[in-house]
Amino acid sequence: MSNATGHEPPIADEPATDVRVFGSRELVAGHVWDIRRDSFEFGGQTLERDFMDHPGAVAVLALDDDDRVLMFQQYRHPIAHRDWEIPAGLMDVAGEGGLPGAKRELAEEADLQAEHWSLLLEMFLSPGGSSEAIRVFLARGLSPAVHDFVREGEEAEIAPVWIPLEDAVAAVLEGRVANGLTVGAVLAAAASKAGGWASLRDPHLAWPARELVRGERSK
């Protein structure tokens, strides 16, 4: 609906602070995340919903001086594919913020550090069934990083490849790359670049979306 001036208001997700959660219990304790059942009041009714209780995640779209994106293939068992991804990982270090987590993941998965960091994108990857909130950072001014992390399991076989940003966009639009995080990050980077990178935000901004969903779970 238009406002009184005839202009559409900007669209924005809104915290549902009016929905009261009065019961929350763990149904399944998993290796990485849990399955939880919440009871809450909504529209005059009492509802129950089961969902994945996720700690949140960060990802990094690393862009070199030639506007190439760092990507790699990684085996993902639930989808039985080696899909194309960007560096990413769970917010599973106590007290760690989004930007420090992104720096850690870039070093651990790509052996890189970056001089320049920006907030590129925020996402709820599967809001109908997971509490996962994720932030994607743009990293530029790249150089080798020294760390003691040892890649194991599915991560042991990853080999970084540098893909021109326009080629990554084409792979997404032609259906050759389907990982939701990769799709969102690549298209966001292309759109931001086309606008002179004016949409990039301060990487130190507070993360209220994750704070809200984590706060609700801890009650």
Side-chain angles (χ1 to χ4, degrees):
M1 179 180 294
S2 299
N3 60 23
T5 64
H7 297 291
E8 293 292 336
I11 63 171
D13 297 339
E14 297 180 2
T17 55
D18 60 317
V19 178
R20 186 176 74 90
V21 178
F22 58 82
S24 185
R25 63 189 178 95
E26 183 180 271
L27 300 181
V28 178
H31 292 293
V32 179
W33 41 65
D34 305 324
I35 303 300
R36 182 168 289 277
R37 175 170 295 165
D38 274 9
S39 302
F40 58 96
E41 293 179 357
F42 188 84
Q45 303 179 69
T46 297
L47 303 178
E48 286 189 335
R49 294 292 182 266
D50 301 344
F51 61 94
M52 179 191 299
D53 188 11
H54 198 286
V58 289
V60 182
L61 190 134
L63 201 64
D64 71 5
D65 293 339
D66 296 318
D67 283 349
R68 297 181 304 171
V69 180
L70 183 141
M71 299 173 64
F72 49 77
Q73 281 186 291
Q74 182 170 345
Y75 173 67
R76 294 298 189 181
H77 189 72
I79 60 172
H81 277 71
R82 285 182 173 87
D83 67 344
W84 281 94
E85 305 189 6
I86 59 174
L90 299 172
M91 294 287 292
D92 55 2
V93 176
E96 185 178 66
L99 181 57
K103 292 180 176 181
R104 174 177 54 80
E105 290 296 337
L106 183 62
E108 292 177 353
E109 294 196 347
D111 305 320
L112 291 173
Q113 59 186 352
E115 182 177 1
H116 306 294
W117 289 87
S118 302
L119 177 56
L120 176 65
L121 187 65
E122 291 183 289
M123 306 174 71
F124 294 120
L125 284 183
S126 184
S130 171
S131 66
E132 181 178 11
I134 187 163
R135 270 191 163 174
V136 184
F137 295 86
L138 179 71
R140 294 178 288 187
L142 305 168
S143 61
V146 177
H147 60 88
D148 56 6
F149 181 77
V150 178
R151 291 190 282 270
E152 299 177 329
E154 296 93 333
E155 293 182 340
E157 70 172 19
I158 64 176
V161 178
W162 291 98
I163 309 293
L165 180 57
E166 60 269 24
D167 291 353
V169 170
V172 167
L173 297 180
E174 293 170 7
R176 293 182 280 114
V177 169
N179 178 285
L181 175 56
T182 306
V183 168
V186 165
L187 296 183
S192 188
K193 179 184 175 183
W197 300 109
S199 65
L200 296 179
R201 290 173 285 159
D202 183 348
H204 299 96
L205 285 175
W207 194 353
R210 180 172 181 269
E211 293 167 1
L212 177 62
V213 295
R214 296 307 298 165
E216 284 298 317
R217 302 289 82 79
S218 64
K219 291 180 180 178

